[in-house]
Amino acid sequence: MADETISPDAGSWRRKDLLDTDTLSREEIALVLKTAEAMAEVRSRPMPKVATLRGITVVTLFYEQSTRTRASFEVAGKAMGADVVNLTASGSSVEKGESLVDTVRTLEAIGADIIVMRHSKSGAPALAARTTKARVVNGGDGQHAHPTQALLDVFTMQQHLGDLAGKRVVIVGDILHSRVARSNLWALMALGADVTLTGPATLLPQTLVGASEAGRCRTTTDFDAAIEGADVVMALRIQKERQATGLIPSLRDYIRGYQLNETRLARAKPGALVMHPGPKNEGIEVAPSVAAGAASVIDEQVANGVAVRMAVLYLMAGRAA
Amino acid sequence: MSDLLIRGGRVLVPARGIDAVLDVRVRDGVVTEIGTALEPAGGRVIDAEGCIVTAGFVDLHAHLREPGFEQKGTIATETEAALRGGFTTICAMPNTEPAPDSAPVFEALMERLAREARVRVFPLGSVTRRRAGKELSEIAELAAGGCVAISDDGNPVADGRLMRNALALASAAGMVLSEHCDDPELNDGGVINEGRVSERLGLAGQPVAAEVAAIARNIALCEATGARLHIAHVTTARGIELVAGAKARGLPVTCEVTPSHLFLTEDAVAGPGPEPAYDTNARINPPLRTEMDRWALVHALNEGTIDAIATDHAPHAIEDKLCEFDYAAPGIACFETAAGTLLTQVARGELQLARVIEALTSGPVLAWGLDSREKGLGSIEPGGVADIVVLEPGREWTVDATAMASKGKNTPLQGATLTGRVRVVVVGGEVRWESEESDG
């Protein structure tokens, strides 16, 4: 249980909180990814644990359900010796009507050093971060941001493609309501990738990307054209309630235009990566044969999630080597 | 009542074409004389040199919260805030509990106002019972009880047929109908202007089309009935174009704009920092719009398309705003910053002073016929009521919400430096408020 092999300098991480990727510099992203490589090495050891975060208390505070994010933060914290406390809205004082501000203050008083937070409302982690001296890591807020998902996605892309500058990434689905799409977009643009956002007209943002950034991000309703020559295709989960609210006529109609299937994947660059942040609706946004196919790195994304979240917790805890 | 002389100020009464350094004499609650070198008659003399002297401001759109929501504000606290902001007459929206939808509720409210209010208050009645948009209130009886206008406030009358009937009945009873123009279906779930900021912050947007479509429908109903229609807080460039078009065709349409929409944009929600602040104090309904919309409102005010500047003063308790953005109550406590932001925009050369003063005084009075309730309201004229404001146009000050008289500390302008403020406020001939540093 030694941590002397974790070399990146946590002292160069200057942020109190990690709320989104949109203000991260290329250097900050590189620091997280480099640290994550060291963490992946730790995870590959026969005894995949270190004691780096012994004495640090990490609280996962989840107002919205989650499998991957909550479990991987817990595994990440425990792999570095942190005390990890898991709270969900149901079964806590939130059910008794306690406000977010009071809950966060309570956690600080209990001794939380890092609060990992998931919330269905955009901006909730920003409110929490202003409220507490504890460090706040956004584990996904509403339709706003999901920075650790984006960091694990670019980590996975880099493992396969190397430098992402000039690489073509297509994100397909409900972009308008997707925190994953937003945080990926900012991280990918910082790393110099070309990003195309595609989906039905009702699920595409109109003005998300400013004119000055337009050269590196395109928006189109034509998935078949967008996927031509792509290095990475990331499909997003389509929520079934989008049909009920009239944003799409039917799932059948969505599948016809936007399902990532083998015919469409054949138009991408040979060896292009297939990604999905999960949870998947197989047979809707992605064909089962593609999700399980040779090009799919979906399971790697999940595994990398632990290493990237270890890196984030390590840097946030400020325990320089 | 004793004599009061306000001496040496720039008296600005746009409706009467007055803009000159003059003295104003007040006796027994009314203005008795406007002239030069008036001699003191033993009463108080206010030296207004370097100041602007205007009629007291008249606000067509404010929320006093009482009865029903006294944790947000009371008649006493919010009319004190109005007074300090220079508003000597306010029209109170009916989103109280109970809503003034019948004569007995309205009369009880009038009695409470007579006891508690620090300024003149004309309460509005509701268009529909409980403001639920289903059955009409007893409109003629409300009018007979002294009601000047009706509105369902933040609940637009979605049913076009009901709206048509309400307009016709209100007009026949001599009342204006003030409508929050919004299409609830288009707006469903929206919390800020739909556009760059909403997409960036992942917040549900309120499209411009929701306001524009509702304004267009209501202008059509105004044309169909010939009834008086007042469009509350216009916020969009396209919306104000529709109002200008309706006015050009001679329809009996008037409109208002808020100081918040003249001064701020949707960017206030994100805040000045690199990471979005999600400032719940900048959540307001209708939402703050784009810089293009803001400029259209500024231009329309200078041109005279806009009849009134109305605050939409909406105090909230701390817990209504210290929460997730989607859960935050919409509204800004505006009484005590309105004059400051407007005079700041005058100082910047954006707004024309005479148009601002007109839209704060005679504009709203004429729009709703309030001079028939109180002679000389919105004006300074011999024989007219002595509601007068003395303004210091060059005075810099910093907004401190904790020092506001309003129970609501919900302002997105906390810490902002403004140029120009209210110095003295006279209601019915009595100096009812003056700023601490006033040397009057």
Side-chain angles (χ1 to χ4, degrees), chain B residues 247-270:
Chain B
K247 287 187 163 201
R249 294 209 312 286
L251 298 180
V253 174
T254 53
C255 75
E256 71 191 31
V257 64
T258 79
S260 304
H261 293 98
L262 286 168
F263 194 70
L264 298 168
T265 69
E266 58 184 351
D267 289 325
V269 174

Side-chain angles (χ1 to χ4, degrees), chain A residues 119 122 144 182 206-208, chain B residues 196 199 202 277-278 324 326:
Chain A
H119 202 294
S122 301
H144 172 231
R182 279 175 179 71
Q206 305 297 311
T207 51
L208 181 62
Chain B
R196 183 174 49 83
E199 290 187 346
Y278 292 88
E324 292 85 335
D326 282 345

Side-chain angles (χ1 to χ4, degrees), chain A residues 91 169 195 223 255 310:
Chain A
V169 179
V195 183
F223 183 27
I255 290 165
M310 285 173 76

Side-chain angles (χ1 to χ4, degrees), chain A residues 239-250:
Chain A
Q239 294 190 357
K240 287 168 186 166
E241 57 264 29
R242 301 294 173 229
Q243 183 180 335
T245 52
L247 284 164
I248 55 171
S250 66

